[in-house]
Amino acid sequence: MGYLCDFCGEQRSMVYCRSDAACLCLSCDRNVHSANALSRRHSRTLVCERCNSQPAFVRCVEERVSLCQNCDWLGHAGSNPASKHKRQTVNCYSGCPSAAELSTIWSFVSDIPSVTDSTCEKGLSSMSITDNSLTNCGGPLQSNDGQDASVLVEENDLKNIDKSSVWTESSSVPQLNTKPQNVDKEMGLANSTSSKMCCPGTKAPVQHEDDGFYEDFNMDEIDLDIENYEELFGVALNDPQQLFGNDGIGSLFGVKNLSGSDLNCQGAYATQDSSMMQPACSNAASADSMMSSKTDPNLCFGRQAHSNLSFSGLTGESNGGDYQDCGASSMLLMGEPPCAESSMPSTSRSSAVMRYKEKKKTRKFEKKVRYASRKARADVRKRVKGRFVKAGEAYDYDPLGKTRSF
DNA sequence: TGTTGAGACGGAACCACATAAGTTA
DNA sequence: AGTAACTTATGTGGTTCCGTCTCAA
């Protein structure tokens, strides 16, 4: 660490907020994210202690450092002796956890400073902890009435976090994320001990014990907008089975009617029982992805796929860092598509993936904040019915204090 | 089959003001 | 040409308004 908080510029930054793309000290994190209900939902995690700019993804037990995916990969690449290091996932959280709660979820961090709180204590400390591995959809594990739930743990019990999420390079789960550039030879999904698919609206996570290959393969926050699937996969998609195979992820996409326009899937996952299917994630992303999910359920809810898989929210500005954020997305975008290896050479696929990534970088789907300083100011500016008010005038909404002046 | 009303949805507009960008002395 | 002072334009987010679309009656 050693870098300063993006907000106060004084304290050492410690956590990374993806939504704000900001590194914050714990104090500012607490202040900023106690402002309103929306900000409290921001998912935060530790800052990578190597690059100090990306959200930490894993904790290297031997080196005692938290690393983002890129740094983890650089430091623990295949031939590197450090590849044997044990690592554990760094959990995300939202809400306003206390220092004690943070100590609980990040037991390996010894120097969590106590945070003097101003606004969070009253019910605001409802905190959710999200395992950083492959899911964070919310879902059955979430408490429905949990407005005041002090600690809300998705996927895992706290007691299981540490032990369940430790792995080495040779184990299965994190390869999905930790080896983004070497995916041709590995399709290391499956067998996550730490996360199970949770699908909002379904009664229980669906597991497919007979098909561990796809098990727990969950992509949250990824809008796989495959306009250029021919580039990506190097095949024309006149016959979807050519790409995805007969009964695998292809059916997940409902590709039976595709013929060359967009294959765009949001909130997609499949179960063996189509009657249980629900949109996976509500985090709306690109409008076109919403469109496709609304207009053609088949695109998103496959018939009998083997995978618990969801897509939503990968924007056109995604880059390596974004892939890092979205976990398994990088696997699909950068690696070989399931069942496709038989139809195309890995080298051409890799080049296709590279071209696709480059093209993706140049595309723009969402608003881009050009001036962070203006955004920061707007974020804290008082309003009346959503409109900015003059300093000193009465307001009905204060993003920081969430109070009314009248 | 065509019409109508309700509801959902998306996009534009609005606000203040710091700051970037441009102009003038 | 370089600098300082001044003016103008821009962009930021939450809310509201309004037009369009969808669907059921």
Side-chain angles (χ1 to χ4, degrees), chain A residues 367 370-371 374-375 383 385-386:
Chain A
K367 181 180 180 180
R370 294 175 55 187
Y371 300 105
R374 292 177 180 180
K375 171 178 168 55
R383 311 162 196 270
K385 292 185 177 179

Coordinates of all heavy atoms in Angstrom, one line a residue, chain A residues 367 370-371 374-375 383 385-386, chain C residues 9-16:
Chain A
K367 N -21.8 5.6 -20.0 CA -21.3 6.9 -19.7 C -19.9 6.9 -19.1 O -19.7 6.1 -18.2 CB -22.3 7.7 -18.8 CG -21.9 9.1 -18.5 CD -22.9 9.7 -17.5 CE -22.6 11.1 -17.2 NZ -23.6 11.7 -16.3
R370 N -15.6 11.9 -17.3 CA -14.4 12.6 -17.8 C -13.6 13.3 -16.7 O -12.4 13.4 -16.8 CB -14.7 13.5 -19.0 CG -15.3 12.8 -20.2 CD -15.7 13.8 -21.2 NE -14.6 14.8 -21.6 CZ -14.8 15.8 -22.4 NH1 -16.0 16.1 -22.8 NH2 -13.8 16.6 -22.7
Y371 N -14.4 13.9 -15.9 CA -13.7 14.6 -14.8 C -14.1 14.1 -13.5 O -15.2 14.3 -13.0 CB -14.1 16.1 -14.9 CG -13.7 16.7 -16.2 CD1 -14.6 17.0 -17.2 CD2 -12.4 17.0 -16.5 CE1 -14.3 17.5 -18.4 CE2 -12.0 17.6 -17.7 CZ -12.9 17.8 -18.7 OH -12.6 18.4 -19.9
R374 N -15.3 16.5 -10.9 CA -16.7 17.0 -11.0 C -17.7 15.9 -10.5 O -18.7 16.3 -9.8 CB -17.0 17.4 -12.4 CG -16.2 18.6 -12.9 CD -16.5 18.9 -14.3 NE -15.7 20.1 -14.7 CZ -15.7 20.6 -15.9 NH1 -16.4 20.0 -16.9 NH2 -15.0 21.6 -16.2
K375 N -17.3 14.8 -10.7 CA -18.2 13.7 -10.2 C -18.2 13.7 -8.7 O -19.2 13.5 -8.1 CB -17.7 12.3 -10.8 CG -18.4 11.1 -10.1 CD -17.9 9.8 -10.7 CE -18.4 8.7 -9.9 NZ -19.8 8.6 -9.7
R383 N -29.2 18.6 -2.8 CA -30.2 18.7 -3.9 C -31.6 19.0 -3.3 O -31.8 18.7 -2.2 CB -30.2 17.5 -4.7 CG -28.9 16.9 -5.2 CD -29.0 15.5 -5.6 NE -27.7 14.8 -5.7 CZ -27.0 14.8 -6.8 NH1 -27.5 15.3 -7.9 NH2 -25.9 14.2 -6.9
K385 N -35.2 17.8 -4.9 CA -35.8 17.0 -5.9 C -34.8 16.7 -7.0 O -35.1 16.8 -8.2 CB -37.0 17.8 -6.5 CG -38.1 17.9 -5.5 CD -39.4 18.6 -6.1 CE -40.5 18.6 -5.1 NZ -41.7 19.2 -5.7
G386 N -33.7 16.4 -6.6 CA -32.7 15.9 -7.6 C -31.9 17.1 -8.2 O -30.9 16.8 -8.9
Chain C
dA9 P -20.5 30.6 -24.1 OP1 -20.9 30.6 -25.5 OP2 -21.5 30.9 -23.1 O5' -20.0 29.1 -23.8 C5' -18.7 28.8 -24.4 C4' -18.3 27.3 -24.0 O4' -17.8 27.3 -22.6 C3' -19.4 26.3 -24.0 O3' -19.0 25.1 -24.6 C2' -19.8 26.2 -22.5 C1' -18.5 26.4 -21.8 N9 -18.6 27.1 -20.5 C8 -19.4 28.2 -20.2 N7 -19.3 28.6 -19.0 C5 -18.4 27.7 -18.4 C6 -17.8 27.5 -17.1 N6 -18.1 28.3 -16.1 N1 -17.0 26.5 -16.9 C2 -16.7 25.7 -17.9 N3 -17.1 25.7 -19.2 C4 -18.0 26.7 -19.3
dT10 P -20.0 23.9 -24.7 OP1 -19.6 23.2 -26.0 OP2 -21.3 24.3 -24.5 O5' -19.5 23.0 -23.5 C5' -18.1 22.7 -23.3 C4' -17.9 21.9 -22.1 O4' -18.0 22.7 -20.9 C3' -18.8 20.7 -21.9 O3' -18.1 19.6 -21.7 C2' -19.6 21.1 -20.6 C1' -18.7 22.0 -19.9 N1 -19.3 23.0 -19.0 C2 -18.8 23.1 -17.7 O2 -18.0 22.4 -17.2 N3 -19.5 24.0 -16.9 C4 -20.5 24.9 -17.3 O4 -20.9 25.7 -16.5 C5 -20.9 24.8 -18.7 C7 -22.0 25.6 -19.2 C6 -20.3 23.8 -19.4
dG11 P -18.8 18.2 -21.9 OP1 -17.8 17.3 -22.7 OP2 -20.2 18.3 -22.4 O5' -18.9 17.6 -20.4 C5' -17.7 17.7 -19.6 C4' -18.1 17.4 -18.2 O4' -18.7 18.6 -17.6 C3' -19.1 16.3 -18.0 O3' -18.7 15.6 -16.8 C2' -20.4 17.0 -17.7 C1' -19.9 18.2 -17.0 N9 -20.8 19.4 -17.0 C8 -21.6 19.8 -18.1 N7 -22.2 20.9 -17.8 C5 -21.8 21.3 -16.5 C6 -22.2 22.4 -15.7 O6 -23.0 23.3 -16.0 N1 -21.5 22.3 -14.5 C2 -20.7 21.3 -14.1 N2 -20.2 21.5 -12.9 N3 -20.3 20.3 -14.8 C4 -20.9 20.3 -16.0
dT12 P -18.7 14.0 -16.8 OP1 -17.3 13.6 -16.7 OP2 -19.5 13.6 -18.0 O5' -19.4 13.6 -15.5 C5' -18.8 14.0 -14.3 C4' -19.9 14.5 -13.3 O4' -20.3 15.8 -13.7 C3' -21.2 13.7 -13.2 O3' -21.0 12.6 -12.3 C2' -22.2 14.7 -12.7 C1' -21.5 16.0 -12.9 N1 -22.3 17.0 -13.6 C2 -22.5 18.3 -13.0 O2 -22.1 18.6 -11.9 N3 -23.3 19.1 -13.7 C4 -23.9 18.9 -15.0 O4 -24.6 19.7 -15.5 C5 -23.6 17.6 -15.5 C7 -24.2 17.2 -16.9 C6 -22.8 16.7 -14.8
dG13 P -21.9 11.4 -12.5 OP1 -21.2 10.2 -11.9 OP2 -22.5 11.3 -13.8 O5' -23.1 11.7 -11.5 C5' -22.8 11.9 -10.1 C4' -24.1 12.1 -9.3 O4' -24.7 13.4 -9.8 C3' -25.1 11.0 -9.5 O3' -25.9 11.0 -8.3 C2' -26.0 11.6 -10.6 C1' -26.0 13.1 -10.4 N9 -26.1 13.9 -11.6 C8 -25.5 13.6 -12.8 N7 -25.7 14.5 -13.7 C5 -26.5 15.4 -13.1 C6 -27.1 16.6 -13.5 O6 -27.0 17.1 -14.7 N1 -27.9 17.3 -12.6 C2 -28.0 16.8 -11.3 N2 -28.8 17.5 -10.5 N3 -27.5 15.7 -10.8 C4 -26.8 15.0 -11.8
dG14 P -26.8 9.7 -8.1 OP1 -26.4 9.0 -6.8 OP2 -27.0 8.9 -9.3 O5' -28.2 10.4 -7.7 C5' -28.3 11.3 -6.6 C4' -29.6 12.0 -6.6 O4' -29.7 12.9 -7.7 C3' -30.8 11.1 -6.7 O3' -31.8 11.5 -5.8 C2' -31.2 11.1 -8.1 C1' -30.8 12.6 -8.5 N9 -30.4 12.8 -9.9 C8 -29.6 12.0 -10.6 N7 -29.3 12.4 -11.8 C5 -30.1 13.6 -11.9 C6 -30.2 14.5 -13.0 O6 -29.7 14.4 -14.1 N1 -31.0 15.6 -12.6 C2 -31.6 15.7 -11.4 N2 -32.4 16.8 -11.2 N3 -31.5 14.9 -10.4 C4 -30.7 13.8 -10.7
dT15 P -33.2 10.7 -5.6 OP1 -33.6 10.9 -4.2 OP2 -33.1 9.4 -6.3 O5' -34.2 11.6 -6.5 C5' -34.3 13.0 -6.2 C4' -35.2 13.7 -7.3 O4' -34.4 13.7 -8.5 C3' -36.5 13.0 -7.6 O3' -37.5 13.9 -7.2 C2' -36.4 12.7 -9.1 C1' -35.3 13.6 -9.6 N1 -34.6 13.2 -10.8 C2 -34.5 13.9 -11.9 O2 -35.1 15.0 -12.0 N3 -33.8 13.4 -12.9 C4 -33.1 12.2 -12.9 O4 -32.5 11.8 -13.9 C5 -33.2 11.4 -11.7 C7 -32.5 10.1 -11.6 C6 -33.9 11.9 -10.7
dT16 P -39.1 13.4 -7.4 OP1 -39.8 14.1 -6.3 OP2 -39.1 12.0 -7.6 O5' -39.5 14.2 -8.7 C5' -39.2 15.5 -8.9 C4' -39.5 15.9 -10.3 O4' -38.5 15.4 -11.3 C3' -40.9 15.5 -10.8 O3' -41.6 16.6 -11.4 C2' -40.5 14.4 -11.9 C1' -39.2 14.9 -12.4 N1 -38.3 13.8 -12.9 C2 -37.7 14.0 -14.1 O2 -37.8 15.0 -14.8 N3 -36.9 13.0 -14.6 C4 -36.7 11.8 -13.9 O4 -35.9 10.9 -14.4 C5 -37.3 11.6 -12.6 C7 -37.2 10.4 -11.8 C6 -38.1 12.7 -12.2

